[in-house]
Amino acid sequence: MTARLLGVILCGGRSSRMGRDKSELAHRDGGTFLERSIERMEPSCDEVVIAGPRGVKSYVVIADPVSDRGPVTGIAATLNYANEHGFEACLVTPVDLPFLTSDDLGLLRASWIRTRQTTIAKSGDIEPLIGIYSVDDLPRIGRLAEGDDRSLYRFLNGGQITYQTVQLERSHCRNINTPDEFEDHVN
């Protein structure tokens, strides 16, 4: 049976430290952060969606049901979409990871295909926003998204769901949050 995997690019943050929408930042290899995120995700997924307030023409945008409640809200909403549209899991990455590669996502997918278990990137410590979340975890992640403590890191480390990890290069998991970090990226 073919595994259907939904690609999710998290674009729902306020970008307060950056001072502007990170999805529209120019990537040093051309295009925007969002366009490059889509390109690296498409080889590993059956469909790609944008989780956040805005997107790109021809891609489904799944808005957070409640704004400013953190990335787990977007993950829960996209898991719900995945469940309703016949996907087994969501491959999730934030838009602000310009060094993450298609090969990195391929490693996550290969590990997930072998076990069908939630798969989280690790680069020293776990990277909860780079991973594949099974739709079977939707009830628990949905409750997390509705609670007061919405930390995926604490949720995963607390044993709320069973998951496996895939080691990625630390430099590939580095996100861009500030104008100075962005300048370092483009130079």
Side-chain angles (χ1 to χ4, degrees), residues 8-12 22 33-34 37 40-41 71 91-98 100 127-131 173 175:
V8 176
I9 301 168
L10 298 171
C11 296
K22 290 191 270 185
F33 274 26
L34 181 55
S37 295
R40 76 170 170 244
M41 191 169 278
L91 170 56
V92 175
T93 69
V95 73
D96 62 356
L97 296 173
L100 195 66
E127 301 283 350
L129 299 184
I130 307 169
C173 300
N175 65 340

Side-chain angles (χ1 to χ4, degrees), residues 120-184:
I120 305 298
K122 186 173 184 174
S123 69
D125 208 345
I126 61 169
E127 301 283 350
L129 299 184
I130 307 169
I132 300 176
Y133 289 89
S134 170
V135 295
D136 292 340
D137 295 325
L138 175 59
R140 288 176 292 281
I141 291 175
R143 284 191 297 277
L144 176 67
E146 293 170 358
D148 291 330
D149 180 4
R150 295 177 300 282
S151 168
L152 272 169
Y153 183 82
R154 285 190 292 276
F155 175 78
L156 291 169
N157 279 329
Q160 300 297 315
I161 59 175
T162 303
Y163 67 93
Q164 63 185 342
T165 61
V166 171
Q167 187 69 40
L168 299 181
E169 291 290 327
R170 183 182 300 269
S171 62
H172 293 195
C173 300
R174 196 179 106 223
N175 65 340
I176 304 294
N177 285 315
T178 67
D180 287 342
E181 290 172 351
F182 177 66
E183 285 304 315
D184 288 344

Side-chain angles (χ1 to χ4, degrees), residues 6 77-90 135-136 138:
L6 178 67
T78 55
L79 279 169
N80 189 55
Y81 176 92
N83 189 45
E84 290 172 353
H85 291 86
F87 293 92
E88 287 184 53
C90 293
V135 295
D136 292 340
L138 175 59

Side-chain angles (χ1 to χ4, degrees), residues 4 6-12 34 38 41-42 46-64 74 77-82 84-85 87 90:
R4 293 196 68 224
L6 178 67
V8 176
I9 301 168
L10 298 171
C11 296
L34 181 55
I38 291 168
M41 191 169 278
E42 284 182 328
D46 298 286
E47 179 183 342
V48 175
V49 299
I50 313 301
R54 60 200 148 281
V56 209
K57 191 176 182 179
S58 78
Y59 287 89
V60 171
V61 175
I62 301 171
D64 291 347
T78 55
L79 279 169
N80 189 55
Y81 176 92
E84 290 172 353
H85 291 86
F87 293 92
C90 293

